[in-house]
Amino acid sequence: MMPVGTTLSRWTMAYFGAALFFLLLAESLLSAGLWAPSSAVAEPRALIIVHSMTIGWLGLLMIGALLQFTPVLTGLGLPTGRLDLPCLAGTVAGLGLLLCGFQLIDVGSAAAGPAMVAASVVLLASLLSIASVLLSGLWRGRAAHVASRLVMLAIVCLAVTVVLGSLFAVTVSGVTATPGISAFVVNALPFHASFGLAGWMTFAAIGVSYKLLPMFLLSQEMQKSPFIRCTGAFAAATLGVATVSTIFEPSLGQRVFLIGLLFFQLPIAAYLAELFLTYRARRRKALELNMSGSLPAFVLLGVSVPMFAVALAGDAGPQIFAAIAYLFVFGWLTGLGLSQLLKIVPFLTWIEAFGPLLGRGPTPRLADLLNGRRAAAWLYIFYLAVVASAAAIAAGSDAGFRLAVTAQTLVTAALAIELVLARRLANVATATKGTPFQQPALFVAAKPQR
């Protein structure tokens, strides 16, 4: 993945830890019945879960990964690391205020307005600051790898998502009661979600994987990123036009939104085709867990995106859209994230603990840091629980959903424990640890290593 001696991002593990906390929080709230298939998706309690997933889990996970892998993509270091911790703290604090704001709205408290305004200010400042650092690093090294520009497109989508979200938060707070702004906020909600899930998170995941997956598979470089980048940019631009159109003519905005969704099929189809060819051409025939565990995520990506377009064109009911969104968020994005963490966390831990010892004494294998068989079992049960949860949503079964999502939560907790054990080197036998090594801290690298 990276040469030994590559600089480690000091706060990547802290981002990962915070992300896993919010994933478990969201799943625990679902297990507790805070939302059910018979409930509306737009009610405040549901929005607590949605934003714990999108900002807390997926957002922090992707930012933490990009802090480590942007230098891998570009061959250059980030311009500064001083904002990493303040932006993490600001994002967590801002998200906490946002979740409190939704809860205050749910109980009808007058304190909801100030909480939502404070949340929007803190989140806007934190996320745009770290986005500017990442974008600057990617821009300077954009010629090093074609995927860099796809990740830059993702970060632009992040900025749009954050700005729209801040506008929504301020409107909900009651600070502005302008009818035109309120109408725009209501009509633009699909664009806020689309820029976040499809533009920011999906394009960032695709861009990073264009560099990392061939490394994991010992395969040739994936080559179709220019096509994916161009069609992805066109889809994002179409969403932008649709968002603006909503201000003047909501029905036009909805039609353009459907066009943007149809164009979104193109980069996804090209990406999956390129993945298939890369898998077939791999020199490492026996797949490691992070790659075999990602296959269901790729399948669910290929299934959920066209399903959403068909459902939109066919004017399906809200439960069908909720089920498809569940497959996309938990099956594709969360499944891919968890499976790759099973490689990334042990790898970064191995570099920190044993990288300096190469040539000076025996060191354990990377595979020794993780109990692969046990982690694989948890991961595949996770996918089964996700599919069962989505099926329960589509069927409108509250009891079936709660049972499936409870299993999903327990399995996620088990995977988080596996990651903690890997980070603490609990699976490495004392006899194989060899020369004295530096025990990594759980959430922070001791210092940048070169």
Side-chain angles (χ1 to χ4, degrees), residues 336-360:
L336 180 69
L338 288 173
S339 59
Q340 295 305 318
L341 282 179
L342 292 173
K343 173 75 172 185
I344 294 170
V345 170
F347 191 91
L348 297 181
T349 301
W350 191 96
I351 289 179
E352 188 175 355
F354 303 111
L357 303 181
L358 280 179
R360 296 167 48 193

Side-chain angles (χ1 to χ4, degrees), residues 87-408:
C87 288
L88 171 60
T91 302
V92 171
L95 178 55
L97 287 169
L98 185 67
L99 302 185
C100 288
F102 285 129
Q103 177 62 27
L104 292 170
I105 291 173
D106 190 48
V107 300
S109 172
M116 296 299 280
V117 172
S120 65
V121 171
V122 175
L123 284 173
L124 192 68
S126 301
L127 291 174
L128 290 186
S129 294
I130 199 65
S132 66
V133 172
L134 295 170
L135 191 61
S136 174
L138 288 162
W139 177 258
R140 290 188 300 116
R142 63 191 181 279
H145 197 282
V146 290
S148 297
R149 298 184 184 183
L150 189 61
V151 181
M152 285 193 286
L153 171 63
I155 293 174
V156 171
C157 290
L158 167 63
V160 175
T161 304
V162 173
V163 170
L164 285 175
S166 297
L167 180 60
F168 299 152
V170 170
T171 303
V172 169
S173 71
V175 171
T176 176
T178 306
I181 295 179
S182 299
F184 170 72
V185 165
V186 172
N187 291 319
L189 280 173
F191 309 117
H192 173 59
S194 298
F195 274 111
L197 294 175
W200 153 230
M201 295 168 191
T202 295
F203 285 147
I206 291 174
V208 172
S209 68
Y210 251 74
K211 176 69 175 180
L212 297 185
L213 296 191
M215 291 184 177
F216 293 148
L217 293 169
L218 297 180
S219 183
Q220 61 186 7
E221 288 283 342
M222 299 167 71
Q223 298 297 329
K224 291 184 179 178
S225 184
F227 172 79
I228 294 176
R229 187 177 68 245
C230 291
T231 53
F234 191 86
T238 306
L239 285 176
V241 171
T243 307
V244 176
S245 300
T246 301
I247 300 174
F248 306 103
E249 181 52 57
S251 61
L252 174 62
Q254 295 299 322
R255 289 194 293 272
V256 179
F257 174 73
L258 178 57
I259 294 172
L261 180 61
L262 293 175
F263 272 106
F264 183 64
Q265 312 291 315
L266 296 176
I268 298 303
Y271 172 63
L272 293 174
E274 185 75 359
L275 271 178
F276 177 73
L277 295 175
T278 303
Y279 267 84
R280 288 191 62 184
R282 70 187 187 275
R283 294 191 297 275
R284 175 175 285 159
K285 297 305 178 183
L287 293 177
E288 294 181 304
L289 174 58
N290 68 306
M291 296 310 304
S292 61
S294 296
L295 293 177
F298 297 135
V299 170
L300 292 174
L301 170 64
V303 168
S304 59
V305 172
M307 282 177 60
F308 191 86
V310 171
L312 188 61
D315 197 24
Q319 286 183 344
I320 299 300
F321 283 107
I324 297 171
Y326 198 94
L327 280 179
F328 188 88
V329 170
F330 284 99
W332 153 236
L333 291 170
T334 301
L336 180 69
L338 288 173
S339 59
Q340 295 305 318
L341 282 179
L342 292 173
K343 173 75 172 185
I344 294 170
V345 170
F347 191 91
L348 297 181
T349 301
W350 191 96
I351 289 179
E352 188 175 355
F354 303 111
L357 303 181
L358 280 179
R360 296 167 48 193
T363 59
R365 298 174 305 138
L366 176 60
D368 294 335
L369 272 64
L370 183 75
N371 188 319
R373 181 172 298 181
R374 192 171 59 204
W378 295 131
L379 188 58
Y380 293 126
I381 295 172
F382 172 84
Y383 283 116
L384 291 174
V386 167
V387 173
S389 297
I393 294 173
S397 172
D398 289 358
F401 174 74
R402 192 165 182 180
L403 179 63
V405 81
T406 299
Q408 180 183 323

